[in-house]
């Protein structure tokens, strides 16, 4: 095994030599063997052990075990104890995901602080096959079938070409001791079923299963890469990104061979689950929207508009912002200045002039509501705000982002940046003119 | 099940209604149930049964069984008996592949002759999962994981959303009789292992395995489609096809994210097996080549050149073509005319003039050999033909396609279309001038 590993390192990860390496060590068979192999090959290694405190005393015995191991081999060791259950509750994560986040965050901290070049983990070929089969039973896509990457940023997995059997054989031949792996109980149930009942039958069918599986993974990774090339290219043609807003051109996506498939690929990293609702947006009315845990996708005329939920004003009836009589300027939710002037100078969309005596304080800045009316300048009669928006071809986003300036009775003074209400305009009898400007 | 099938047909294959359908019926559970379902739903069906004669008396009993079935239900039936073993031997095919070829060829003949609209087969969800797992054990790529298509040309598989269990339940409830499926023994071994030992465990892990698997297949099919879109696009940029020759631009393929992955996709339908040799061609010397069962891939300067083996002159030392003294024209292997002339008119690459008295008949037309020398006109001394080709920047293909005209002693008279040998040129003492022209 030493020879095979040396050859594998020389061919596939030669850059590990003479580098500062940090081995993630649980105390289980795989990581202990990885440590033994690299120590035997005289690599520059340190150890990092996470005590997740998920199995009571057993967790502490694991910690003690790896601590002793590091003393025997004189390798530097880092140990950290985590309150995994609290972290998983606080962040609404499964224990397994919580442990993974804690682990990798800490490893990267160690890398930064102690200038490690690479983090090594002991994943092997059987892990890859088990993960493949777990994803198969759950239902997945191509991304669930491409395996654990050999190299991912600064994380390297040198044992991926090896089977559990080879690792076990090496451990026995070298009289290596280890502790049983700690792992999430429900995953363990599934993994054990696959490990003991499914994979042995597959290996009966094809005794060189793992090596043909390795080739299969490579093929799928290559297909995934080609697919990503295509998505990158299509993105550049049909997506416009501006600040936190991503606009997908519906017309262009409809011209592709399989619009839904492309839409899935474009949005798959934004936590959507109701894909049929997402696909329906392509032909829905403007204003329809679908939410994921983190994002909103909004149909707006010719575009699907993706934005983070935090950037979206979900509630049309939000709180009002008060403006008192003596305030000369407000900055939130929108920047307004108030100035009493002698005469009216240039008017533009950013500036209005009102008869100050007609106002009732406190003025309010707020969002619009359905059913509200405006008495627009340069027009007789009143007009529904929704009709005004429609006639002026406001997009759904523009409507959402529009603020109203109102008086204390909630009458509209100004659709800010768009249209003044004539009820408060200056007239020939105006005595005090107030100039209001947005910046 | 009738309801579920009706709904499935209405949604996914509504075009089957009022069409002339041909059901492929083996006599096994699946096809007998498909027949029963469609007969119950009053579809316009006929039956087609292949007797592959692979299981002696059992095969004949199958035939008798479906024949009786058709009489009971008054459906038209077509039955054909095949010598499958002979066909598989003659065509060097596995029994399974041979049976498939015979079956589908015959079905399409029936479709043509009797104007059927669609051929229906009884593949179901478990078949799909078994095939997926068989491909997994053998090693495969994305194309091995996309499942049996619901619709493929005029072949439709209406039972694909159903599990074997549902089909069996329907058969029992309706007291349907069937015969055990005939199938290839070695595949049966593998399928049985998967069916009885692997799939039940996967179903324990996820009881709704088949429906999540259906979704997985859809995802993979969509990924496959996106990948094909990309390959189609890349092909149009880096491939030139001219008659039977396909030229792949090496420089352009090297600029892609993963040249080997693209090369695999471009060539995967041409029976190559030694993929590492294929990939090595990208950086190999001009003239290197790799053969598949059907094709040759040749490195030629800036291109990889793909051609069918039958179009390639594999043997450089091929037979010579004789030309007798009295022949005025030959057409094979190249068109040449011979004419005795009084004087030399315009010379060009397609025409030479030689001193007829210097020739020894029969002349020969043949390919060149390594080590041959030319005594070129307009030059002193001799020159190796290989050097001449190199200096004149012949591509490998051009060298292969070049013919020599020689005299009976095998001395070169003319590198046809390229360079005359001065040993046979006309001189001031020439009495008979022979004009030789290619067309």
């Amino acid at each position: 095994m030493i020879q095979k590993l040396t050859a594998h390192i020389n061919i596939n990860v030669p850059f590990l030599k003479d580098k500062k390496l940090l081995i993630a060590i649980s105390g289980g068979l795989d990581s202990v063997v990885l440590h033994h192999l690299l120590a035997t090959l005289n690599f520059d290694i340190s150890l990092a052990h996470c005590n997740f405190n998920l199995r009571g005393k057993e967790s502490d015995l694991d910690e003690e075990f790896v601590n002793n191991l590091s003393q025997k081999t004189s390798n530097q060791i880092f140990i950290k104890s985590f309150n995994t259950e609290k972290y998983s509750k606080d962040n609404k994560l499964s224990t397994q995901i919580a442990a993974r986040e804690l682990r990798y965050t800490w490893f990267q901290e160690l890398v930064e602080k102690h200038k490690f070049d690479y983090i090594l983990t002991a994943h092997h070929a059987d892990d890859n096959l088990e993960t493949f089969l777990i994803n198969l039973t759950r239902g997945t896509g191509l991304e669930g079938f491409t395996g654990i990457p050999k190299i991912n940023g600064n994380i390297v997995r040198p044992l991926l070409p090896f089977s559990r059997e080879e690792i076990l054989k090496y451990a026995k031949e070298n009289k290596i001791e280890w502790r049983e792996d700690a792992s999430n109980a429900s995953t363990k149930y599934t993994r054990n079923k696959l490990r003991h009942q499914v994979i042995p039958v597959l290996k009966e069918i094809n005794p060189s299963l793992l090596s043909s599986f390795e080739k299969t993974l490579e093929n799928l990774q290559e297909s995934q890469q080609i697919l990503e090339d295509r998505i990158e290219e299509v993105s550049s043609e049909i997506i416009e990104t501006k600040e936190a807003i991503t606009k997908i051109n519906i017309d262009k996506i409809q011209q592709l061979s399989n619009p839904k498939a492309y839409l899935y690929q474009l949005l798959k990293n934004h936590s959507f689950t109701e894909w049929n609702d997402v696909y329906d947006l392509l032909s829905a009315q403007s204003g329809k929207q679908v939410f994921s845990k983190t994002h909103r996708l909004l149909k707006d005329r010719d575009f699907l508009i993706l934005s983070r939920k935090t950037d979206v004003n979900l509630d049309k009836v939000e709180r009002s912002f008060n403006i008192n009589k003596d305030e000369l300027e407000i900055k939130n939710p929108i920047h307004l200045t108030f100035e009493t002037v002698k005469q009216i100078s240039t008017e533009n969309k950013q500036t209005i002039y009102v008869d100050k005596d007609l106002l009732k304080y406190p003025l309010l800045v707020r969002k619009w509501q359905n059913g509200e009316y405006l008495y627009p300048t340069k027009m007789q009669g009143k007009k529904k705000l929704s009709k005004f928006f429609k006639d002026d071809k406001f997009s759904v986003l523009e409507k959402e982002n529009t603020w109203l300036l109102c008086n204390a009775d909630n009458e509209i003074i100004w659709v800010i940046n768009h249209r003044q209400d004539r009820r408060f305009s200056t007239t020939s009898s105006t005595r005090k003119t107030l100039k209001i400007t947005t910046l």
Side-chain angles (χ1 to χ4, degrees), chain A:
Chain A
M1 180 152 178
I2 280 277
Q3 284 88 339
K4 190 173 163 190
L5 180 69
T6 309
H8 168 61
I9 290 176
N10 287 338
I11 295 167
N12 297 303
V13 282
F15 51 79
L16 290 184
K17 285 173 198 161
D18 306 320
K19 291 286 163 56
K20 257 190 100 177
L21 309 178
L22 183 67
I23 298 180
I25 192 158
S26 66
L29 168 65
D30 310 333
S31 58
V32 169
V33 165
L34 176 61
H35 168 240
H36 191 277
L37 283 162
L38 293 183
T40 309
L41 292 170
N42 286 317
F43 277 82
D44 176 2
I45 48 177
S46 300
L47 305 177
H49 176 78
C50 302
N51 185 339
F52 291 114
N53 293 297
L54 290 170
R55 301 185 308 144
K57 200 166 175 240
E58 291 296 312
S59 294
D60 295 331
L61 290 173
D62 288 349
E63 178 178 330
E64 199 184 314
F65 174 82
V66 294
N67 201 11
N68 291 338
L69 186 67
S70 73
Q71 283 173 14
K72 265 186 238 161
T73 58
S74 314
N75 290 122
Q76 186 181 24
I77 189 165
F78 303 91
I79 293 177
K80 186 162 179 177
S81 181
F82 296 95
N83 190 340
T84 313
E85 281 187 3
K86 180 172 187 308
Y87 183 85
S88 85
K89 261 187 211 151
D90 290 353
N91 294 280
K92 289 176 190 153
L93 299 170
S94 73
T95 317
Q96 207 186 356
I97 306 271
R100 190 196 299 160
E101 280 193 9
L102 290 168
R103 178 165 54 224
Y104 284 108
T105 307
W106 180 53
F107 289 166
Q108 297 297 358
E109 284 168 17
L110 288 175
V111 162
E112 199 136 311
K113 193 164 168 196
H114 301 279
K115 308 288 174 221
F116 287 106
D117 296 298
Y118 295 100
I119 300 165
L120 307 187
T121 75
H123 293 92
H124 51 65
D126 286 87
D127 286 331
N128 244 344
L129 181 55
E130 287 166 16
T131 302
F132 183 101
L133 292 170
I134 286 174
N135 290 339
L136 171 63
T137 58
R138 284 183 189 157
T140 184
L142 183 53
E143 59 277 14
F145 286 147
T146 50
I148 310 164
K150 278 186 196 119
I151 304 162
N152 187 8
N154 62 354
I155 301 168
V156 177
R157 301 180 170 98
L159 294 190
L160 270 188
F162 299 88
S163 67
R164 173 174 289 113
E165 212 182 323
E166 287 173 290
I167 292 170
L168 186 61
K169 186 160 165 265
Y170 178 85
K172 285 183 177 164
E173 282 171 2
N174 291 275
K175 302 202 170 66
I176 295 171
E177 288 175 8
W178 71 89
R179 305 250 319 148
E180 282 313 313
D181 276 356
S183 62
N184 178 281
S186 77
T187 305
K188 200 160 190 171
Y189 165 81
T190 302
R191 281 201 184 264
N192 276 336
K193 269 196 159 337
L194 295 170
R195 193 174 298 171
H196 300 299
Q197 296 177 252
V198 171
I199 293 174
V201 183
L202 301 180
K203 284 182 179 168
E204 273 173 43
I205 294 171
N206 177 8
S208 52
L209 177 70
L210 284 178
S211 70
S212 51
F213 178 66
E214 199 187 342
K215 187 76 197 115
T216 297
L217 284 185
E218 271 173 37
N219 292 338
L220 295 175
Q221 285 158 6
E222 291 181 348
S223 291
Q224 175 76 12
Q225 167 131 42
I226 293 175
L227 179 145
E228 281 168 11
D229 287 351
R230 172 72 179 164
I231 294 302
E232 195 183 313
E233 188 203 15
V234 165
S235 297
S236 73
E237 283 168 18
I238 72 177
I239 282 186
E240 296 165 37
T241 301
K242 209 172 149 183
E243 287 153 28
I245 305 289
T246 299
K247 291 171 78 174
I248 301 173
N249 186 310
I250 291 175
D251 212 42
K252 286 185 183 166
I253 206 169
Q254 292 282 30
Q255 286 167 29
L256 297 173
S257 62
N258 188 332
K260 290 179 184 179
Y262 280 93
L263 195 55
Y264 172 81
Q265 292 295 332
L266 292 171
L267 296 173
K268 69 180 177 188
N269 296 325
H270 299 100
S271 343
F272 288 95
T273 50
E274 301 306 314
W275 286 102
N276 284 330
D277 292 351
V278 169
Y279 302 146
D280 287 347
L281 281 188
L282 284 173
S283 50
Q285 282 193 317
S286 267
K288 286 254 175 193
Q289 44 191 17
V290 176
F291 291 93
S292 77
K293 218 173 82 183
T294 54
H295 285 74
R296 177 181 74 161
L297 189 67
L298 167 73
K299 162 83 178 241
D300 191 6
R301 291 158 201 268
D302 303 331
F303 294 92
L304 294 183
I305 298 183
L306 179 75
S307 42
R308 291 192 66 84
K309 261 185 177 171
T310 47
D311 300 327
V312 177
N313 300 304
L314 294 180
D315 229 355
K316 281 199 181 162
V317 191
E318 279 163 303
R319 73 184 186 90
S320 300
F321 296 80
N322 286 5
I323 306 168
N324 295 320
K325 201 167 187 168
D326 52 354
E327 284 187 272
L328 299 176
E329 183 174 21
I330 65 158
K331 291 195 170 170
N332 191 25
I334 188 167
H335 197 155
L336 292 177
T337 58
F338 302 86
E339 186 187 355
T340 309
V341 292
K342 290 267 157 63
Q343 59 182 46
I344 291 170
S345 51
T346 47
E347 259 175 304
N348 58 39
K349 289 222 163 183
Q350 282 75 49
T351 304
I352 59 164
Y353 296 88
V354 298
D355 186 331
K356 200 171 179 181
D357 291 332
L358 299 176
L359 303 181
K360 280 187 196 154
Y361 284 89
L363 303 184
L364 307 170
V365 175
R366 61 168 176 85
K367 287 291 169 75
W368 68 286
Q369 295 170 42
N370 246 335
E372 285 197 274
Y373 284 92
L374 177 72
Y375 294 76
T377 49
K378 304 172 205 157
M379 243 188 80
Q380 298 215 317
K382 58 184 185 176
K383 187 169 187 176
K384 268 204 169 165
L385 253 186
S386 54
K387 179 93 168 62
F388 167 73
F389 288 141
K390 200 177 167 196
D391 292 348
D392 274 34
K393 300 218 162 85
F394 274 54
S395 73
V396 180
L397 268 193
E398 284 171 324
K399 282 192 273 186
E400 274 183 5
N401 291 329
T402 296
W403 291 96
L404 303 180
L405 177 67
C406 306
N407 77 1
D409 290 343
N410 243 333
E411 292 160 328
I412 298 173
I413 301 167
W414 187 21
V415 180
I416 298 175
N417 277 325
H418 296 292
R419 194 69 169 264
Q420 186 172 358
D421 190 297
R422 69 175 185 275
R423 289 173 289 179
F424 303 94
S425 292
T426 52
T427 61
S428 52
S429 54
T430 298
R431 296 181 318 158
K432 278 188 198 158
T433 299
L434 184 66
K435 176 181 177 187
I436 310 177
T437 308
T438 60
L439 286 176

